Amino acid sequence: MLNTNRESTKIVRRRPSRFDLIAGNVCLDFVNTLDDRYTKPKELLGTYIDLVRFCEDTAVMDSRQVDRLFERGQTDPDHAEKVLGWARELREAIHDVFRALMDKSPVPPAALARLNAQIQDALSHLRLVPVKGGFEWRFDDFGELDSVLWPIARSAAELLASDQLPYVRACFSKTCEWFFLDTSKNHQRRWCDMTRCGNRAKVRNFYARQKNSC
Ligand SMILES: [Zn+2]
């Protein structure tokens, strides 16, 4: 497993969060940026700016890095659009790998190959930086447009190689199925979020029971 030390840079959030971050893990939250994936897919990463905002919301980049990428995205929109396409491909690769693991099916080789390519690229930008009492892994430069993909690919690599892997779940709601990491004590979490899906299911069950008892 890779070193999981988080960067010590203090992240200051200036804007309210745009994404519903319920997964407890960056790469799983990233998978959820295609909402209602299995029913009526809704793309939450409409533009390169959305992608940068995702990195801001998940605190994998600080405000200075985010501002630089906003600017660079505007000066090179064609490249930014390309990176957005790569990001969606990375997201689908991460989805396909975790979905297969949850379904206990073979991991699709194409998805794993795509993910591995992104991981190799991301890791080539890591370096050791001395900090108080030791060292930390840090990305060398968040100025490149595709640097938004690095922390996401790294997050997937870390989770896949960790002992947390058996606790990756999909929300029980068939119209939702958002991914999350179940860190609850008994590992019995069923819903992405109680208000989003849990309560709706409870209400449905309540009325179903009433109907049956009539
Ligand atoms: Zn849900």
Side-chain angles (χ1 to χ4, degrees):
M1 175 180 175
L2 289 168
N3 189 316
T4 52
N5 278 349
R6 285 283 155 238
E7 295 186 14
S8 62
T9 323
K10 195 154 193 274
I11 307 287
V12 181
R13 176 169 292 157
R14 296 165 303 173
R15 286 175 275 252
S17 182
R18 178 198 170 100
F19 293 91
D20 242 346
L21 305 173
I22 55 84
N25 178 279
V26 172
C27 80
L28 300 180
D29 275 323
F30 192 60
V31 168
N32 298 339
T33 61
L34 186 62
D35 199 10
D36 296 333
R37 168 183 295 277
Y38 307 111
T39 47
K40 277 188 204 151
K42 187 176 155 220
E43 181 58 78
L44 304 183
L45 298 176
T47 64
Y48 180 77
I49 296 294
D50 293 332
L51 192 52
V52 181
R53 284 293 304 275
F54 177 84
C55 291
E56 184 178 37
D57 285 359
T58 49
V60 293
M61 284 186 184
D62 65 28
S63 309
R64 191 179 47 85
Q65 292 158 342
V66 163
D67 287 347
R68 257 173 89 190
L69 289 179
F70 276 159
E71 241 179 76
R72 289 214 51 193
Q74 276 163 352
T75 51
D76 196 352
D78 290 347
H79 192 200
E81 194 62 27
K82 230 179 249 171
V83 174
L84 178 64
W86 297 338
R88 289 176 182 154
E89 285 172 9
L90 170 63
R91 178 186 63 195
E92 295 319 296
I94 296 172
H95 167 271
D96 292 353
V97 170
F98 281 105
R99 184 82 254 180
L101 291 169
M102 278 188 272
D103 293 345
K104 298 190 172 31
S105 342
V107 171
L112 187 59
R114 182 166 294 281
L115 177 57
N116 261 327
Q118 289 291 348
I119 289 168
Q120 282 182 319
D121 182 49
L123 298 191
S124 72
H125 293 278
L126 275 179
R127 68 196 156 106
L128 281 173
V129 175
V131 292
K132 204 176 164 197
F135 290 87
E136 262 184 15
W137 288 110
R138 287 204 197 154
F139 287 111
D140 52 13
D141 178 13
F142 272 124
E144 294 177 39
L145 283 175
D146 66 341
S147 60
V148 283
L149 308 178
W150 304 341
I152 296 164
R154 179 189 178 181
S155 159
E158 288 178 349
L159 182 55
L160 283 165
S162 80
D163 55 5
Q164 297 295 297
L165 189 56
Y167 306 124
V168 174
R169 311 247 188 273
C171 176
F172 265 46
S173 162
K174 286 293 157 211
T175 54
C176 171
E177 300 208 41
W178 270 21
F179 286 7
F180 59 85
L181 184 62
D182 180 5
T183 53
S184 65
K185 205 169 160 202
N186 300 321
H187 301 295
Q188 302 275 329
R189 181 174 158 191
R190 292 156 59 96
W191 312 107
C192 62
D193 182 82
M194 211 49 208
T195 32
R196 234 180 90 94
C197 288
N199 284 341
R200 270 189 279 166
K202 267 188 174 172
V203 170
R204 252 197 323 272
N205 289 343
F206 175 77
Y207 284 114
R209 273 200 307 273
Q210 286 220 317
K211 215 172 148 193
N212 289 340
S213 64
C214 285

